[in-house]
Amino acid sequence: MTNKRIVSWSMAMRDFRNERTRRAGVREERLRATVGLRSAPALSAWRGRSGRRYIVGVHALVAAEVMDVTDAVIIAVRRDAAGAASVIATATVGPLFGEEARAAWLSRVQHLGATEMHVHRLAYDEPERRALMDDLIQDETRQAC
């Protein structure tokens, strides 16, 4: 006698949809591909409310790092004692996001408790960057520059 469970495709898809709705919400998802590496690259991913996944580089939240970023979305992140990340604020970084605006944003997010920044560089234009920001965060914590 074998102990095989037969599941229909429609049942499996229904269970998958239910699992996604239970886990809905913005959250960080560590990249499984970097788990076993000794010198793991500073990469992570965020899952938006839409279910889309955004790959980000993880950086220290310091002025030098903020000033170096161009044509990207910056996500200010705070980690709790257990290591779980939460989005504090986001900003699009384009040619008009000057040093003064960056310094003001950095000061504001540090005051709100952010300890690191995640940078998404794969959004090619401003509409894509704004869509990413809308997917990850509420409007009151979003800043477009």
Short mmCIF file of all heavy atoms in Angstrom, two decimals, residues 40-101:
data_model
loop_
_atom_site.label_atom_id
_atom_site.label_comp_id
_atom_site.label_asym_id
_atom_site.label_seq_id
_atom_site.Cartn_x
_atom_site.Cartn_y
_atom_site.Cartn_z
N ALA A 40 27.91 37.03 1.75
CA ALA A 40 26.64 37.26 1.06
C ALA A 40 26.55 38.69 0.58
O ALA A 40 26.82 39.62 1.32
CB ALA A 40 25.47 36.94 1.99
N PRO A 41 26.20 38.87 -0.68
CA PRO A 41 26.02 40.23 -1.17
C PRO A 41 24.85 40.87 -0.43
O PRO A 41 23.95 40.19 0.02
CB PRO A 41 25.70 40.05 -2.66
CG PRO A 41 25.31 38.63 -2.81
CD PRO A 41 25.92 37.87 -1.68
N ALA A 42 24.92 42.16 -0.30
CA ALA A 42 23.89 42.88 0.44
C ALA A 42 22.66 43.05 -0.46
O ALA A 42 22.38 44.13 -0.95
CB ALA A 42 24.42 44.21 0.91
N LEU A 43 21.96 41.95 -0.68
CA LEU A 43 20.76 41.96 -1.51
C LEU A 43 19.58 41.43 -0.71
O LEU A 43 19.74 40.57 0.15
CB LEU A 43 20.94 41.09 -2.75
CG LEU A 43 21.96 41.55 -3.78
CD1 LEU A 43 22.11 40.49 -4.87
CD2 LEU A 43 21.55 42.87 -4.38
N SER A 44 18.43 41.96 -1.00
CA SER A 44 17.21 41.50 -0.37
C SER A 44 16.08 41.74 -1.37
O SER A 44 16.32 42.16 -2.50
CB SER A 44 16.96 42.26 0.94
OG SER A 44 15.91 41.66 1.65
N ALA A 45 14.85 41.47 -0.96
CA ALA A 45 13.69 41.71 -1.82
C ALA A 45 12.53 42.17 -0.96
O ALA A 45 12.43 41.82 0.22
CB ALA A 45 13.32 40.44 -2.57
N TRP A 46 11.68 42.97 -1.55
CA TRP A 46 10.45 43.41 -0.90
C TRP A 46 9.28 42.92 -1.72
O TRP A 46 9.31 42.95 -2.96
CB TRP A 46 10.39 44.93 -0.79
CG TRP A 46 11.24 45.43 0.33
CD1 TRP A 46 12.56 45.77 0.25
CD2 TRP A 46 10.86 45.59 1.68
NE1 TRP A 46 13.01 46.15 1.51
CE2 TRP A 46 11.99 46.05 2.39
CE3 TRP A 46 9.67 45.39 2.37
CZ2 TRP A 46 11.96 46.31 3.75
CZ3 TRP A 46 9.64 45.66 3.72
CH2 TRP A 46 10.76 46.11 4.40
N ARG A 47 8.24 42.45 -1.05
CA ARG A 47 7.01 42.04 -1.70
C ARG A 47 5.98 43.13 -1.43
O ARG A 47 5.71 43.48 -0.29
CB ARG A 47 6.54 40.71 -1.12
CG ARG A 47 5.31 40.13 -1.74
CD ARG A 47 5.53 39.50 -3.07
NE ARG A 47 6.45 38.37 -2.99
CZ ARG A 47 6.77 37.62 -4.02
NH1 ARG A 47 6.26 37.88 -5.21
NH2 ARG A 47 7.60 36.63 -3.90
N GLY A 48 5.45 43.73 -2.50
CA GLY A 48 4.48 44.81 -2.36
C GLY A 48 3.08 44.30 -2.13
O GLY A 48 2.81 43.10 -2.16
N ARG A 49 2.16 45.22 -1.92
CA ARG A 49 0.75 44.85 -1.71
C ARG A 49 0.18 44.13 -2.92
O ARG A 49 -0.72 43.30 -2.79
CB ARG A 49 -0.08 46.10 -1.40
CG ARG A 49 0.21 46.70 -0.05
CD ARG A 49 -0.76 47.82 0.29
NE ARG A 49 -0.91 48.76 -0.79
CZ ARG A 49 -0.31 49.94 -0.85
NH1 ARG A 49 0.49 50.32 0.11
NH2 ARG A 49 -0.52 50.75 -1.86
N SER A 50 0.70 44.44 -4.11
CA SER A 50 0.22 43.81 -5.34
C SER A 50 0.71 42.37 -5.49
O SER A 50 0.23 41.65 -6.35
CB SER A 50 0.69 44.61 -6.55
OG SER A 50 2.10 44.50 -6.67
N GLY A 51 1.71 41.99 -4.70
CA GLY A 51 2.32 40.68 -4.85
C GLY A 51 3.60 40.73 -5.67
O GLY A 51 4.33 39.74 -5.76
N ARG A 52 3.90 41.88 -6.28
CA ARG A 52 5.15 42.01 -7.04
C ARG A 52 6.34 42.00 -6.11
O ARG A 52 6.26 42.44 -4.97
CB ARG A 52 5.16 43.33 -7.84
CG ARG A 52 4.25 43.28 -9.04
CD ARG A 52 4.50 44.43 -9.96
NE ARG A 52 5.85 44.32 -10.49
CZ ARG A 52 6.41 45.25 -11.24
NH1 ARG A 52 5.76 46.34 -11.53
NH2 ARG A 52 7.64 45.09 -11.69
N ARG A 53 7.44 41.53 -6.63
CA ARG A 53 8.68 41.42 -5.86
C ARG A 53 9.71 42.39 -6.42
O ARG A 53 9.90 42.48 -7.63
CB ARG A 53 9.19 39.99 -5.96
CG ARG A 53 10.36 39.70 -5.11
CD ARG A 53 10.62 38.21 -5.18
NE ARG A 53 11.96 37.96 -4.72
CZ ARG A 53 12.55 36.80 -4.79
NH1 ARG A 53 11.92 35.78 -5.32
NH2 ARG A 53 13.75 36.63 -4.34
N TYR A 54 10.37 43.12 -5.53
CA TYR A 54 11.35 44.13 -5.91
C TYR A 54 12.69 43.79 -5.27
O TYR A 54 12.81 43.73 -4.05
CB TYR A 54 10.90 45.52 -5.46
CG TYR A 54 9.52 45.89 -5.96
CD1 TYR A 54 8.40 45.76 -5.13
CD2 TYR A 54 9.33 46.33 -7.26
CE1 TYR A 54 7.14 46.08 -5.58
CE2 TYR A 54 8.06 46.65 -7.73
CZ TYR A 54 6.97 46.53 -6.88
OH TYR A 54 5.72 46.83 -7.34
N ILE A 55 13.71 43.59 -6.09
CA ILE A 55 15.05 43.29 -5.61
C ILE A 55 15.72 44.61 -5.24
O ILE A 55 15.67 45.57 -5.99
CB ILE A 55 15.88 42.57 -6.69
CG1 ILE A 55 15.15 41.31 -7.19
CG2 ILE A 55 17.27 42.23 -6.17
CD1 ILE A 55 14.88 40.27 -6.14
N VAL A 56 16.38 44.62 -4.08
CA VAL A 56 17.02 45.84 -3.59
C VAL A 56 18.43 45.53 -3.10
O VAL A 56 18.73 44.41 -2.69
CB VAL A 56 16.22 46.49 -2.44
CG1 VAL A 56 14.86 46.96 -2.90
CG2 VAL A 56 16.08 45.54 -1.26
N GLY A 57 19.26 46.55 -3.14
CA GLY A 57 20.57 46.49 -2.50
C GLY A 57 20.45 47.10 -1.13
O GLY A 57 19.76 48.11 -0.96
N VAL A 58 21.08 46.51 -0.15
CA VAL A 58 21.01 46.99 1.24
C VAL A 58 22.26 47.81 1.53
O VAL A 58 23.37 47.35 1.29
CB VAL A 58 20.88 45.81 2.23
CG1 VAL A 58 20.82 46.32 3.66
CG2 VAL A 58 19.66 44.97 1.89
N HIS A 59 22.05 49.02 2.04
CA HIS A 59 23.15 49.94 2.32
C HIS A 59 22.97 50.55 3.71
O HIS A 59 21.86 50.63 4.23
CB HIS A 59 23.18 51.08 1.30
CG HIS A 59 23.31 50.61 -0.11
ND1 HIS A 59 24.53 50.38 -0.70
CD2 HIS A 59 22.37 50.31 -1.05
CE1 HIS A 59 24.33 49.97 -1.94
NE2 HIS A 59 23.04 49.91 -2.17
N ALA A 60 24.07 51.03 4.26
CA ALA A 60 24.02 51.78 5.51
C ALA A 60 23.30 53.10 5.26
O ALA A 60 23.41 53.68 4.19
CB ALA A 60 25.42 52.03 6.04
N LEU A 61 22.59 53.57 6.25
CA LEU A 61 21.88 54.83 6.13
C LEU A 61 22.80 55.96 6.59
O LEU A 61 22.72 56.44 7.72
CB LEU A 61 20.59 54.80 6.96
CG LEU A 61 19.65 55.98 6.78
CD1 LEU A 61 19.17 56.06 5.33
CD2 LEU A 61 18.47 55.87 7.70
N VAL A 62 23.71 56.34 5.70
CA VAL A 62 24.67 57.42 5.97
C VAL A 62 24.65 58.38 4.78
O VAL A 62 24.29 58.00 3.67
CB VAL A 62 26.09 56.88 6.21
CG1 VAL A 62 26.16 56.05 7.47
CG2 VAL A 62 26.58 56.08 5.02
N ALA A 63 25.08 59.60 5.04
CA ALA A 63 25.02 60.65 4.02
C ALA A 63 25.76 60.27 2.75
O ALA A 63 25.27 60.50 1.64
CB ALA A 63 25.56 61.95 4.60
N ALA A 64 26.94 59.68 2.87
CA ALA A 64 27.73 59.33 1.69
C ALA A 64 26.97 58.36 0.78
O ALA A 64 27.00 58.50 -0.45
CB ALA A 64 29.06 58.72 2.11
N GLU A 65 26.30 57.39 1.36
CA GLU A 65 25.53 56.43 0.56
C GLU A 65 24.33 57.10 -0.11
O GLU A 65 24.05 56.85 -1.27
CB GLU A 65 25.04 55.27 1.45
CG GLU A 65 26.14 54.39 1.98
CD GLU A 65 26.67 53.40 0.95
OE1 GLU A 65 26.06 53.22 -0.11
OE2 GLU A 65 27.73 52.82 1.23
N VAL A 66 23.63 57.95 0.63
CA VAL A 66 22.45 58.62 0.08
C VAL A 66 22.85 59.54 -1.07
O VAL A 66 22.17 59.62 -2.08
CB VAL A 66 21.70 59.41 1.18
CG1 VAL A 66 20.58 60.24 0.59
CG2 VAL A 66 21.16 58.46 2.24
N MET A 67 23.97 60.21 -0.95
CA MET A 67 24.43 61.15 -1.98
C MET A 67 24.88 60.43 -3.25
O MET A 67 24.84 61.01 -4.34
CB MET A 67 25.58 62.02 -1.47
CG MET A 67 25.22 62.89 -0.29
SD MET A 67 23.81 63.95 -0.63
CE MET A 67 23.49 64.61 0.99
N ASP A 68 25.28 59.17 -3.17
CA ASP A 68 25.78 58.43 -4.33
C ASP A 68 24.68 57.84 -5.21
O ASP A 68 24.93 57.49 -6.36
CB ASP A 68 26.70 57.29 -3.89
CG ASP A 68 28.07 57.80 -3.46
OD1 ASP A 68 28.40 58.96 -3.77
OD2 ASP A 68 28.79 57.03 -2.80
N VAL A 69 23.48 57.71 -4.70
CA VAL A 69 22.40 57.04 -5.44
C VAL A 69 21.84 57.97 -6.51
O VAL A 69 21.59 59.15 -6.26
CB VAL A 69 21.28 56.61 -4.47
CG1 VAL A 69 20.12 55.99 -5.22
CG2 VAL A 69 21.82 55.65 -3.44
N THR A 70 21.63 57.43 -7.71
CA THR A 70 20.98 58.17 -8.79
C THR A 70 19.98 57.28 -9.50
O THR A 70 20.16 56.07 -9.60
CB THR A 70 22.01 58.67 -9.83
OG1 THR A 70 22.71 57.55 -10.36
CG2 THR A 70 22.99 59.65 -9.23
N ASP A 71 18.92 57.89 -9.99
CA ASP A 71 17.88 57.21 -10.78
C ASP A 71 17.43 55.90 -10.15
O ASP A 71 17.56 54.82 -10.73
CB ASP A 71 18.38 56.96 -12.21
CG ASP A 71 18.68 58.26 -12.94
OD1 ASP A 71 17.96 59.24 -12.68
OD2 ASP A 71 19.62 58.29 -13.74
N ALA A 72 16.88 56.00 -8.94
CA ALA A 72 16.47 54.82 -8.20
C ALA A 72 15.36 55.18 -7.22
O ALA A 72 14.98 56.34 -7.09
CB ALA A 72 17.66 54.23 -7.44
N VAL A 73 14.88 54.16 -6.52
CA VAL A 73 13.97 54.36 -5.40
C VAL A 73 14.73 53.98 -4.14
O VAL A 73 15.32 52.90 -4.07
CB VAL A 73 12.70 53.49 -5.53
CG1 VAL A 73 11.83 53.60 -4.30
CG2 VAL A 73 11.91 53.87 -6.78
N ILE A 74 14.73 54.88 -3.16
CA ILE A 74 15.37 54.60 -1.87
C ILE A 74 14.26 54.28 -0.87
O ILE A 74 13.28 55.00 -0.77
CB ILE A 74 16.17 55.81 -1.35
CG1 ILE A 74 17.26 56.20 -2.32
CG2 ILE A 74 16.77 55.48 0.00
CD1 ILE A 74 18.02 57.44 -1.90
N ILE A 75 14.46 53.20 -0.14
CA ILE A 75 13.51 52.78 0.88
C ILE A 75 14.21 52.85 2.22
O ILE A 75 15.20 52.16 2.45
CB ILE A 75 13.03 51.33 0.61
CG1 ILE A 75 12.48 51.20 -0.81
CG2 ILE A 75 12.00 50.90 1.65
CD1 ILE A 75 12.38 49.77 -1.30
N ALA A 76 13.71 53.70 3.11
CA ALA A 76 14.26 53.79 4.46
C ALA A 76 13.62 52.69 5.29
O ALA A 76 12.40 52.54 5.31
CB ALA A 76 13.96 55.16 5.07
N VAL A 77 14.47 51.91 5.98
CA VAL A 77 14.01 50.70 6.67
C VAL A 77 14.43 50.72 8.14
O VAL A 77 15.53 51.15 8.47
CB VAL A 77 14.61 49.44 5.98
CG1 VAL A 77 14.26 48.17 6.73
CG2 VAL A 77 14.15 49.37 4.55
N ARG A 78 13.53 50.25 8.99
CA ARG A 78 13.82 50.06 10.42
C ARG A 78 13.67 48.58 10.73
O ARG A 78 12.74 47.93 10.27
CB ARG A 78 12.85 50.88 11.27
CG ARG A 78 12.98 50.60 12.76
CD ARG A 78 12.01 51.40 13.61
NE ARG A 78 10.65 51.32 13.10
CZ ARG A 78 9.79 52.33 13.13
NH1 ARG A 78 10.14 53.49 13.62
NH2 ARG A 78 8.58 52.17 12.67
N ARG A 79 14.61 48.03 11.50
CA ARG A 79 14.52 46.63 11.93
C ARG A 79 14.17 46.58 13.41
O ARG A 79 14.69 47.36 14.20
CB ARG A 79 15.84 45.92 11.70
CG ARG A 79 16.13 45.72 10.24
CD ARG A 79 17.09 44.58 10.00
NE ARG A 79 17.38 44.51 8.58
CZ ARG A 79 16.64 43.82 7.71
NH1 ARG A 79 15.62 43.13 8.13
NH2 ARG A 79 16.95 43.81 6.43
N ASP A 80 13.31 45.64 13.76
CA ASP A 80 12.98 45.46 15.18
C ASP A 80 13.99 44.51 15.83
O ASP A 80 14.94 44.07 15.18
CB ASP A 80 11.54 44.97 15.35
CG ASP A 80 11.29 43.61 14.73
OD1 ASP A 80 12.26 42.90 14.38
OD2 ASP A 80 10.10 43.24 14.60
N ALA A 81 13.78 44.19 17.08
CA ALA A 81 14.72 43.34 17.82
C ALA A 81 14.86 41.95 17.21
O ALA A 81 15.91 41.33 17.29
CB ALA A 81 14.29 43.24 19.28
N ALA A 82 13.79 41.47 16.58
CA ALA A 82 13.82 40.14 15.95
C ALA A 82 14.43 40.17 14.56
O ALA A 82 14.60 39.13 13.93
CB ALA A 82 12.41 39.57 15.89
N GLY A 83 14.74 41.35 14.04
CA GLY A 83 15.33 41.47 12.72
C GLY A 83 14.34 41.68 11.60
O GLY A 83 14.72 41.77 10.43
N ALA A 84 13.05 41.80 11.94
CA ALA A 84 12.04 42.04 10.92
C ALA A 84 12.11 43.49 10.46
O ALA A 84 12.22 44.40 11.26
CB ALA A 84 10.65 41.72 11.46
N ALA A 85 12.03 43.68 9.15
CA ALA A 85 12.15 45.01 8.57
C ALA A 85 10.79 45.63 8.31
O ALA A 85 9.83 44.93 8.00
CB ALA A 85 12.93 44.94 7.27
N SER A 86 10.72 46.95 8.45
CA SER A 86 9.51 47.68 8.08
C SER A 86 9.92 48.95 7.34
O SER A 86 10.95 49.55 7.63
CB SER A 86 8.67 48.01 9.30
OG SER A 86 9.41 48.78 10.22
N VAL A 87 9.10 49.32 6.38
CA VAL A 87 9.37 50.50 5.57
C VAL A 87 8.96 51.73 6.35
O VAL A 87 7.84 51.83 6.84
CB VAL A 87 8.60 50.43 4.23
CG1 VAL A 87 8.78 51.71 3.42
CG2 VAL A 87 9.03 49.22 3.43
N ILE A 88 9.88 52.68 6.46
CA ILE A 88 9.61 53.96 7.12
C ILE A 88 9.20 55.01 6.12
O ILE A 88 8.24 55.75 6.32
CB ILE A 88 10.86 54.44 7.90
CG1 ILE A 88 11.28 53.43 8.93
CG2 ILE A 88 10.62 55.80 8.52
CD1 ILE A 88 10.24 53.14 9.99
N ALA A 89 9.94 55.11 5.01
CA ALA A 89 9.66 56.11 3.98
C ALA A 89 10.32 55.67 2.69
O ALA A 89 11.23 54.84 2.70
CB ALA A 89 10.19 57.47 4.40
N THR A 90 9.85 56.24 1.59
CA THR A 90 10.47 56.00 0.30
C THR A 90 10.69 57.34 -0.39
O THR A 90 10.03 58.32 -0.07
CB THR A 90 9.60 55.11 -0.61
OG1 THR A 90 8.37 55.78 -0.85
CG2 THR A 90 9.36 53.75 -0.01
N ALA A 91 11.59 57.36 -1.33
CA ALA A 91 11.83 58.55 -2.15
C ALA A 91 12.36 58.12 -3.50
O ALA A 91 13.11 57.15 -3.60
CB ALA A 91 12.83 59.48 -1.47
N THR A 92 11.95 58.84 -4.53
CA THR A 92 12.55 58.62 -5.84
C THR A 92 13.74 59.56 -5.96
O THR A 92 13.68 60.71 -5.53
CB THR A 92 11.56 58.91 -6.99
OG1 THR A 92 11.12 60.25 -6.90
CG2 THR A 92 10.39 57.97 -6.95
N VAL A 93 14.80 59.06 -6.50
CA VAL A 93 16.02 59.85 -6.65
C VAL A 93 16.25 60.08 -8.13
O VAL A 93 16.54 59.16 -8.87
CB VAL A 93 17.22 59.12 -6.02
CG1 VAL A 93 18.47 59.96 -6.19
CG2 VAL A 93 16.96 58.83 -4.57
N GLY A 94 16.09 61.32 -8.51
CA GLY A 94 16.31 61.71 -9.89
C GLY A 94 17.24 62.90 -9.95
O GLY A 94 17.85 63.28 -8.94
N PRO A 95 17.34 63.52 -11.09
CA PRO A 95 18.26 64.65 -11.24
C PRO A 95 17.89 65.86 -10.38
O PRO A 95 18.74 66.68 -10.07
CB PRO A 95 18.17 64.98 -12.73
CG PRO A 95 16.95 64.32 -13.24
CD PRO A 95 16.65 63.18 -12.33
N LEU A 96 16.62 65.98 -9.98
CA LEU A 96 16.20 67.14 -9.19
C LEU A 96 16.33 66.93 -7.69
O LEU A 96 16.05 67.83 -6.90
CB LEU A 96 14.75 67.50 -9.53
CG LEU A 96 14.48 67.82 -10.99
CD1 LEU A 96 13.00 68.09 -11.21
CD2 LEU A 96 15.32 69.00 -11.44
N PHE A 97 16.73 65.75 -7.27
CA PHE A 97 16.86 65.43 -5.84
C PHE A 97 18.28 65.81 -5.43
O PHE A 97 19.18 64.99 -5.39
CB PHE A 97 16.58 63.95 -5.64
CG PHE A 97 16.30 63.54 -4.22
CD1 PHE A 97 15.57 64.32 -3.36
CD2 PHE A 97 16.77 62.33 -3.74
CE1 PHE A 97 15.30 63.93 -2.06
CE2 PHE A 97 16.51 61.91 -2.45
CZ PHE A 97 15.77 62.72 -1.61
N GLY A 98 18.48 67.11 -5.12
CA GLY A 98 19.80 67.65 -4.82
C GLY A 98 20.30 67.30 -3.44
O GLY A 98 19.64 66.60 -2.66
N GLU A 99 21.48 67.81 -3.12
CA GLU A 99 22.12 67.50 -1.84
C GLU A 99 21.31 67.97 -0.65
O GLU A 99 21.21 67.27 0.35
CB GLU A 99 23.53 68.11 -1.80
CG GLU A 99 24.52 67.36 -2.63
CD GLU A 99 25.94 67.87 -2.43
OE1 GLU A 99 26.26 68.34 -1.32
OE2 GLU A 99 26.72 67.78 -3.37
N GLU A 100 20.70 69.16 -0.75
CA GLU A 100 19.90 69.67 0.37
C GLU A 100 18.68 68.80 0.61
O GLU A 100 18.34 68.49 1.75
CB GLU A 100 19.50 71.12 0.12
CG GLU A 100 20.63 72.11 0.25
CD GLU A 100 20.17 73.53 0.01
OE1 GLU A 100 18.96 73.81 0.14
OE2 GLU A 100 21.03 74.37 -0.29
N ALA A 101 18.00 68.42 -0.46
CA ALA A 101 16.81 67.57 -0.34
C ALA A 101 17.19 66.20 0.21
O ALA A 101 16.49 65.64 1.05
CB ALA A 101 16.12 67.43 -1.69
#
